[in-house]
Amino acid sequence: MQFIETRGNDGVRPERVGFSDAILHPAASFGGLYAPESLPDMSIDFLSEYLPSDYKTLAFALLKAFEIDIDEELLHAALERYERFDDPNDPAPVVQVEDDAYVCELYHGPTRAFKDMALQPFGKILSSLAQARGERYLIMAATSGDTGPATLETFKNEAPIKVACLYPAGGTSDVQRLQMVTEDAPNLKVIGIRGNFDDAQSALKELLASDTFREALDEIGLRLSAANSVNFGRIIFQIVYHVHAYLELVRKGEITLGEEIYIVIPSGNFGNALGAYYAKKAGLPIRKILIASNANNVLTEWIEEGRYDLRGRRLIQTESPAMDILKSSNVERVLFDKFGPERTRELMERLNTEGHYELTPEESRAIREDFAATYATDAEGEREIARYAEKGYLIDPHTATCFKAYRELRDEPLKTVIHSTAEWTKFSPTVARALGIEAEGDREALEAVSRRMGVPIPKVIAELFHKPVVHDTVVDKEAIMEEMLRFLRG
Ligand SMILES: *Cc1c(COP(=O)(O)O)cnc(C)c1O
């Protein structure tokens, strides 16, 4: 299967590329992204064939169905990364929380957030491809807390890849910061920036735009790649668990094969939702994908009103920081899939220059055939955390935004899968507050919630507070280049 560009081709890049080129060099013409030229058929025949399969077998079949240019041995090696999850045979357990609602827990990987589901196998593929081509790559990430740890974890000790991670000092939870600054491997660098997430992100952008920096990379022999969800290599692994969750409901006897369900997704950059969209398009019986946001509700407006409007909006810091996003990258792949490259380029350029675009009523209807959306405030989220804690089930503030969508957006009483993107342990101060527990900092909050609920703190989280800090660099924005070059030349 080949990949084509969401904003059309500039006549310089090839018109279509294979999977390996699309993931090593994810930047497409005119600032666009790569998207699959077609999708495999994953309707009833595929589903019934893989109904008895475990997660890895299903994932392997799905990757094969995409006919990507990665040999089987490497695909198997990539899927072996699920050995690092709590239960390698069931990396994404599905549990019932209401008569008709189930949570698919996507956070049982090494960094306790759903990013591991894709970044773990993706990291193996990217580093093996680089190795095979005799190339070295630099991956840079500005993180508000979940992407950073998951990116460091997947590439640690993978020599052909260097990872530099910028985080806002004081802007992440203790657990998230410790997950980064205790990550010890020669190919990893973590730098704290005095400022907030926006400052970290703009420092990264300035660096990428700097000729001095680019020339230095050339000199060192490093190419740039990306590990965020603009990279299709992440999206492909995010299709698998939507199919898996559906088959789990069939296996549990909750639905019959072919019966439609709703899926609810707490969304930021829309990668998770895009995986569900591709699954639906490939034939998975999904009635609609329900998109949950926090107070940064651009996606709600886009889906419900056909308007993507950044004018007058400022990023609001919420209790679900991984969803504090205004420019949601993967919306572009949906535009491309529905309206083609010319229209996508026009809309994306308007968004960049004028800060907004409006879909036609027909276009807007086409979006609402697949999606519905709403958002939850922090206070609403905390109420959901408290409500489920009372039933003995802990959810994190991102997952909490989903329950309002579940209650309000369904037109029919179909079975519903809610995708849970983080373990409560990553956001314990918010969870403690929701439960009316007073606690200072992550460590106290973790222990207090654990005691109250009788739920253990996983070893990988508890250990963080005792591991030595190996990355203690915190600098002003202006000093980033120098820090980076010292690391890359070292
Ligand atoms: C990254 C993340 C999200 C948002 O996922 P997208 O694919 O970017 O929409 C939601 N919740 C958590 C906990 C995350 O880490």
Side-chain angles (χ1 to χ4, degrees):
M1 169 160 321
Q2 300 283 94
F3 290 80
I4 48 179
E5 301 163 288
T6 53
R7 300 189 196 179
N9 182 259
D10 61 9
V12 178
R13 290 176 167 82
E15 280 193 11
R16 29 178 70 66
V17 299
F19 180 76
S20 45
D21 282 318
I23 71 170
L24 285 166
H25 306 288
S29 301
F30 310 119
L33 310 172
Y34 284 101
E37 194 165 26
S38 58
L39 291 170
D41 182 359
M42 294 190 289
S43 49
I44 300 295
D45 288 350
F46 180 92
L47 296 175
S48 63
E49 185 174 352
Y50 292 99
L51 185 58
S53 306
D54 66 8
Y55 194 90
K56 277 191 265 183
T57 309
L58 171 69
F60 185 78
L62 194 146
L63 293 165
K64 287 296 285 179
F66 263 90
E67 296 174 16
I68 54 178
D69 60 349
I70 304 293
D71 61 48
E72 293 198 355
E73 203 180 330
L74 178 50
L75 290 183
H76 282 301
L79 296 174
E80 277 306 296
R81 285 289 189 93
Y82 290 116
E83 293 296 319
R84 300 177 180 182
F85 283 58
D86 291 342
D87 179 355
N89 293 318
D90 188 12
V94 175
V95 302
Q96 184 161 19
V97 292
E98 298 283 350
D99 284 346
D100 59 358
Y102 308 79
V103 170
C104 179
E105 298 177 348
L106 299 172
Y107 53 72
H108 290 276
T111 72
R112 317 315 283 174
F114 99 105
K115 303 289 191 288
D116 292 328
M117 290 300 300
L119 268 166
Q120 278 294 325
F122 167 77
K124 181 70 199 172
I125 291 184
L126 199 77
S127 40
S128 300
L129 287 178
Q131 180 88 41
R133 293 183 179 201
E135 295 170 347
R136 290 162 67 233
Y137 286 84
L138 170 64
I139 300 238
M140 299 216 290
T143 184
S144 64
D146 285 340
T147 300
T151 307
L152 295 165
E153 184 67 26
T154 193
F155 290 115
K156 84 174 164 195
N157 297 315
E158 298 286 347
I161 310 286
K162 286 194 177 221
V163 180
C165 190
L166 311 183
Y167 73 96
T172 66
S173 74
D174 298 340
V175 165
Q176 290 173 321
R177 180 178 47 82
L178 289 170
Q179 282 181 323
M180 293 186 272
V181 299
T182 62
E183 195 72 280
D184 192 8
N187 64 326
L188 307 180
K189 177 76 178 175
V190 178
I191 306 173
I193 291 198
R194 293 192 191 93
N196 58 25
F197 176 55
D198 280 341
D199 296 319
Q201 228 172 1
S202 65
L204 180 64
K205 275 202 188 127
E206 276 170 37
L207 204 56
L208 291 172
S210 143
D211 290 338
T212 321
F213 186 64
R214 295 225 159 218
E215 280 160 24
L217 290 187
D218 277 350
E219 221 172 86
I220 303 164
L222 272 175
R223 298 156 195 257
L224 274 174
S225 187
N228 54 9
S229 58
V230 305
N231 196 315
F232 192 83
R234 273 184 56 183
I235 304 297
I236 199 166
F237 289 104
Q238 295 187 353
I239 301 172
V240 182
Y241 53 72
H242 294 294
V243 181
H244 157 79
Y246 183 89
L247 292 178
E248 269 295 294
L249 292 199
V250 178
R251 286 191 284 264
K252 288 175 194 288
E254 300 295 333
I255 54 172
T256 55
L257 203 62
E259 193 173 328
E260 287 191 325
I261 62 166
Y262 286 106
I263 288 186
V264 192
I265 298 176
S267 296
N269 229 355
F270 218 65
N272 199 351
L274 182 76
Y277 173 76
Y278 285 142
K280 181 176 193 292
K281 202 171 172 206
L284 191 69
I286 300 170
R287 171 63 59 87
K288 257 185 195 178
I289 302 157
L290 311 180
I291 300 301
S293 296
N294 62 26
N296 296 291
N297 57 359
V298 260
L299 291 169
T300 311
E301 207 172 75
W302 177 65
I303 289 164
E304 294 297 320
E305 294 163 41
R307 222 170 347 111
Y308 207 108
D309 196 349
L310 300 174
R311 292 170 302 177
R313 275 188 188 268
R314 288 197 27 235
L315 196 76
I316 301 165
Q317 283 197 3
T318 72
E319 290 174 348
S320 42
M323 296 155 69
D324 290 349
I325 287 177
L326 292 179
K327 275 195 178 178
S328 185
S329 313
N330 281 297
V331 162
E332 175 164 355
R333 287 188 167 112
V334 177
L335 294 177
F336 169 72
D337 192 72
K338 288 193 178 285
F339 314 128
E342 287 79 25
R343 181 65 172 153
T344 301
R345 186 175 171 196
E346 183 187 329
L347 292 172
M348 294 311 296
E349 283 179 355
R350 191 168 308 158
L351 184 63
N352 283 337
T353 54
E354 296 170 28
H356 72 108
Y357 65 73
E358 193 120 4
L359 299 175
T360 66
E362 299 78 63
E363 287 172 338
S364 182
R365 252 196 307 280
I367 299 291
R368 284 197 308 277
E369 268 167 31
D370 295 304
F371 299 102
T374 188
Y375 70 99
T377 62
D378 283 348
E380 288 170 326
E382 285 189 25
R383 278 202 291 278
E384 299 294 350
I385 294 171
R387 180 204 291 249
Y388 285 95
E390 217 153 89
K391 302 184 187 194
Y393 188 66
L394 280 172
I395 56 174
D396 93 291
H398 301 77
T399 310
T401 63
C402 291
F403 287 90
K404 190 174 166 194
Y406 156 70
R407 283 196 201 91
E408 288 181 3
L409 293 178
R410 302 183 312 160
D411 296 327
E412 282 176 74
L414 303 177
K415 298 281 162 64
T416 301
V417 173
I418 290 157
H419 285 280
S420 180
T421 48
E423 188 173 68
W424 70 273
T425 56
K426 284 194 101 165
F427 303 95
S428 58
T430 301
V431 174
R433 192 173 325 122
L435 303 190
I437 298 171
E438 280 194 36
E440 190 79 41
D442 283 37
R443 198 169 173 179
E444 250 185 66
L446 277 165
E447 282 162 7
V449 174
S450 163
R451 224 175 301 122
R452 163 88 67 93
M453 298 291 297
V455 173
I457 303 167
K459 198 158 144 260
V460 284
I461 296 289
E463 276 173 357
L464 287 172
F465 297 94
H466 309 289
K467 280 170 99 175
V469 169
V470 288
H471 304 277
D472 53 6
T473 316
V474 176
V475 298
D476 291 320
K477 232 169 108 168
E478 294 69 38
I480 293 290
M481 170 109 67
E482 200 187 316
E483 273 303 321
M484 282 292 298
L485 293 177
R486 192 173 316 139
F487 159 61
L488 297 174
R489 294 198 169 114

